[in-house]
Amino acid sequence: MVSGPSLDEQAYVREGATQTAVKILVVGHFAVGKTTFIGAISEIEPLTTEETMTRAAESVDDLKGVQGKTTTTVAMDFGRLTISDRVVLYLFGTPGQQRFVQMWEDMARGALGALVLVDPERLADSFAVIDLIEQYGLDYAIAVNHFDGAPLRDEMALRDALDLLEDTPVVTCDARDERSSADALITLVRHLQDRAH
Ligand SMILES: Nc1nc2c(ncn2[C@@H]2O[C@H](COP(=O)(O)OP(=O)(O)OP(=O)(O)O)[C@@H](O)[C@H]2O)c(=O)[nH]1
Ligand SMILES: [Mg+2]
């Protein structure tokens, strides 16, 4: 006998209500604003793994240009953003410090793409990040986190400096702002959809 859906299935799975879960990595060098970004847009209480930075790590953690930062991500950030009635993004923020970089590979597994946060004042710090994401074979978009007072570099210069492909999207955002951060993710998802066709 072929049985029909259980009571639970009838109650929770409405016809046409199927959603696609998409895993997205939010990456970037130390202190570029990854935790801030996921905190600003997650519709669930984000999971964070912040630890206080210690004097002992002062020489290792390059805090140049990042005033007021007292904690750092030691494992990952996790958040969720529903961008349409069909697509839900599960956001995984990587730890930014070099000594945790071996975790990235595991986190990259199953991801559809990556949003690479970039600080225009510390562009060179993004080279290694982009290299890694390319090594993992992930498509990505660049989100320039526009820290207050940082001059907005022109896009061509930034593309040149980061040696980007012509179709790699570049957007600016303020990681503290929900709307601009969501727009950056939507740009990435559109890019991933284009690449899939
Ligand atoms: N002024 C300004 N500060 C920002 C902006 N984005 C992030 N910050 C600050 O920059 C600091 C770093 O932000 P985090 O979100 O912890 O950076 P992160 O990339 O998660 O850092 P790690 O996990 O340690 O690599 C925090 O003090 C934020 O408040 C921005 O757009 N403008
Ligand atoms: Mg962080």
Side-chain angles (χ1 to χ4, degrees), residues 23-101:
K23 177 177 177 179
I24 297 290
L25 282 194
V26 177
V27 302
H29 61 71
F30 173 60
V32 72
K34 302 172 294 291
T35 301
T36 306
F37 182 95
I38 291 181
I41 47 167
S42 182
E43 63 204 9
I44 55 171
E45 186 63 36
L47 169 80
T48 58
T49 58
E50 295 298 285
E51 292 292 343
T52 305
M53 287 187 289
T54 59
R55 295 296 297 268
E58 240 171 10
S59 57
V60 187
D61 303 337
D62 179 10
L63 279 166
K64 204 163 10 84
V66 195
Q67 280 81 37
K69 183 170 163 74
T70 55
T71 65
T72 188
T73 305
V74 294
M76 61 182 259
D77 303 301
F78 175 74
R80 189 187 75 197
L81 180 68
T82 305
I83 56 167
S84 73
D85 44 353
R86 302 265 308 281
V87 180
V88 185
L89 305 183
Y90 287 89
L91 306 167
F92 290 74
T94 55
Q97 301 190 59
Q98 196 55 39
R99 59 184 179 277
F100 298 129
V101 91

